[in-house]
Amino acid sequence: MRLLRAMGARISGDRAARVAASPNFDGKVFVNRTPASVLPPGSGPKIFREMFFGKERRKPSGAVPIVRPSSTDWELTPGGLSVIWLGHATSLVEIEGHRVLLDPVWSLRCSPTSFAGPKRLHPMPLALAQLPALDAIVISHDHYDHLDMATVRELTLTQMAPFLVPLGVGAHLERWKVPADRIIELDWNEEITIGGLQFVATEARHFSGRSLRRNDTLWGSWVIAGKQRRVFYTGDTGYFPGFAEIGSQHGPFDLTLIQIGAYSPYWPDIHMTPEEAVATHLDVRGGLLLPVHWATFNLALHSWGEPVDRIWRETKQHDVTLTVPKPGERVKVDDPSEVDGWWQALA
């Protein structure tokens, strides 16, 4: 029964009518404006061979160092901007006196079951109950490493913040007993203001699905804007020309959180390489770049530390300011620590 609940819900009723009216829905499924293939034909046997016989070190050789946030990390300043990367894509953004939690996943596995699926490579730096009061919880799409049933259910009980999700994803949340008045669903280029912060659902190049069905819910990136400070989060995405349009319409950004891990030549359209991540940062006119979607779950064929090694080299070539915090380490966007290569001893 838990397995079926974790898979979420089918879209129906008023939500189905809204989905059908979306310009990003082709009558059957949501589609990317820039066409994307999840797996090119004939790649399956090659992936299987590399998965079991490849020589890449896909796990850290020792314990990943984590930082336990202290009470001083919850102090907010009205015009400030800081971020705590908690692992994988889960991040806590503190912007102009507000707190926004991105893609929260606290479970041991990113899976519909508790006994199978990719297992966490480091513990979360803090328990869910230790989170301070949140102003918004933002979800990029419905894959298990970004939308976790157990985490959502606990946040529903322990927090009062609304969940902001791409169109259709609210069906999963309703099945998990999130009150309807705490669910805000947006199509691409739709926006809402909450507590003085503007949230805009923006385009991404990816796919969705929690079972054999794909693309019946939307995926996306997000703009989070205060009066002075602006943040961009890519979610999961392949590189595409639309990032320059996002930068033109909504940038420049003080901080970008950009996906760098789980790329492969076998699925080049739906996840970015580290070099493409830097190109995205430049396209959206970013200031400080914080790479996410690496270090926590083994979801691809590359070695564990390769994504961040590559992005460090690429940012140097393009004079981009990079921060690579340990999980749980607070980054002040206006005064980030220099990159120290902490992960290299474990790669």
Side-chain angles (χ1 to χ4, degrees):
M1 192 64 180
R2 182 190 183 281
L3 174 65
L4 293 177
R5 284 198 305 271
M7 287 183 176
R10 290 285 191 95
I11 295 171
S12 61
D14 292 342
R15 180 175 285 110
R18 189 177 172 202
V19 164
S22 169
N24 304 304
F25 192 76
D26 71 356
K28 296 181 179 179
V29 294
F30 284 102
V31 294
N32 288 294
R33 294 180 184 177
T34 302
S37 173
V38 176
L39 283 178
S43 59
K46 298 177 182 177
I47 293 172
F48 181 86
R49 184 169 58 250
E50 288 197 26
M51 183 180 299
F52 289 98
F53 301 105
K55 299 185 183 303
E56 295 83 0
R57 185 190 292 273
R58 300 187 187 119
K59 297 180 180 180
S61 60
V64 175
I66 61 173
V67 177
R68 303 287 183 184
S70 65
S71 57
T72 58
D73 288 322
W74 308 136
E75 296 174 1
L76 297 175
T77 56
L81 179 58
S82 60
V83 59
I84 301 175
W85 175 60
L86 295 164
H88 198 57
T90 304
S91 305
L92 180 61
V93 175
E94 302 166 323
I95 175 172
E96 295 185 358
H98 303 279
R99 298 187 183 97
V100 179
L101 185 63
L102 305 178
D103 282 350
V105 175
W106 257 257
S107 289
L108 180 64
R109 297 181 186 274
C110 54
S111 166
T113 73
S114 59
F115 57 85
K119 189 176 181 180
R120 185 175 292 279
L121 300 175
H122 65 80
M124 285 298 277
L126 77 167
L128 263 173
Q130 294 176 299
L131 281 173
L134 304 172
D135 294 282
I137 302 162
V138 171
I139 307 295
S140 64
H141 64 297
D142 72 0
H143 286 158
Y144 290 101
D145 58 322
H146 294 258
L147 179 63
D148 176 58
M149 180 181 72
T151 301
V152 166
R153 293 177 75 171
E154 188 166 348
L155 286 170
T156 303
L157 297 174
T158 59
Q159 297 282 343
M160 299 298 293
F163 291 83
L164 282 75
V165 301
L167 189 55
V169 176
H172 302 321
L173 272 59
E174 283 191 356
R175 184 172 188 186
W176 302 337
K177 308 301 183 185
V178 178
D181 61 2
R182 287 182 61 185
I183 301 172
I184 299 169
E185 291 179 78
L186 299 181
D187 204 344
W188 291 342
N189 299 317
E190 292 183 341
E191 62 184 65
I192 191 168
T193 299
I194 299 173
L197 293 180
Q198 179 193 43
F199 296 84
V200 187
T202 43
E203 187 178 355
R205 189 186 185 203
H206 199 55
F207 70 108
S208 67
R210 297 176 71 84
S211 61
L212 296 179
R213 285 180 54 85
R214 283 183 176 171
N215 300 341
D216 52 358
T217 66
L218 189 59
W219 49 94
S221 56
W222 286 91
V223 171
I224 305 167
K227 292 181 179 180
Q228 302 293 331
R229 315 308 297 262
R230 307 180 77 84
V231 175
F232 179 65
Y233 170 48
T234 61
D236 279 5
T237 181
Y239 183 72
F240 70 108
F243 285 126
E245 182 179 347
I246 292 171
S248 176
Q249 291 181 354
H250 302 289
F253 295 97
D254 302 280
L255 171 68
T256 65
L257 298 99
I258 299 186
Q259 168 256 306
I260 66 164
Y263 51 83
S264 172
Y266 297 123
W267 49 86
D269 297 341
I270 56 168
H271 280 273
M272 290 188 291
T273 65
E275 293 76 18
E276 289 170 331
V278 173
T280 296
H281 177 83
L282 295 171
D283 284 351
V284 301
R285 299 192 291 158
L288 180 66
L289 192 165
L290 193 159
V292 300
H293 206 269
W294 76 283
T296 307
F297 297 109
N298 178 15
L299 301 176
L301 304 174
H302 56 67
S303 62
W304 177 77
E306 180 186 298
V308 73
D309 280 334
R310 286 174 58 174
I311 201 167
W312 196 9
R313 288 195 299 268
E314 190 72 5
T315 54
K316 290 176 181 177
Q317 293 181 15
H318 292 274
D319 198 26
V320 167
T321 305
L322 177 71
T323 184
V324 186
K326 302 176 183 69
E329 184 178 358
R330 189 185 195 195
V331 175
K332 295 181 179 180
V333 172
D334 294 332
D335 187 25
S337 300
E338 291 188 7
V339 180
D340 62 6
W342 62 263
W343 65 90
Q344 293 182 332
L346 303 173

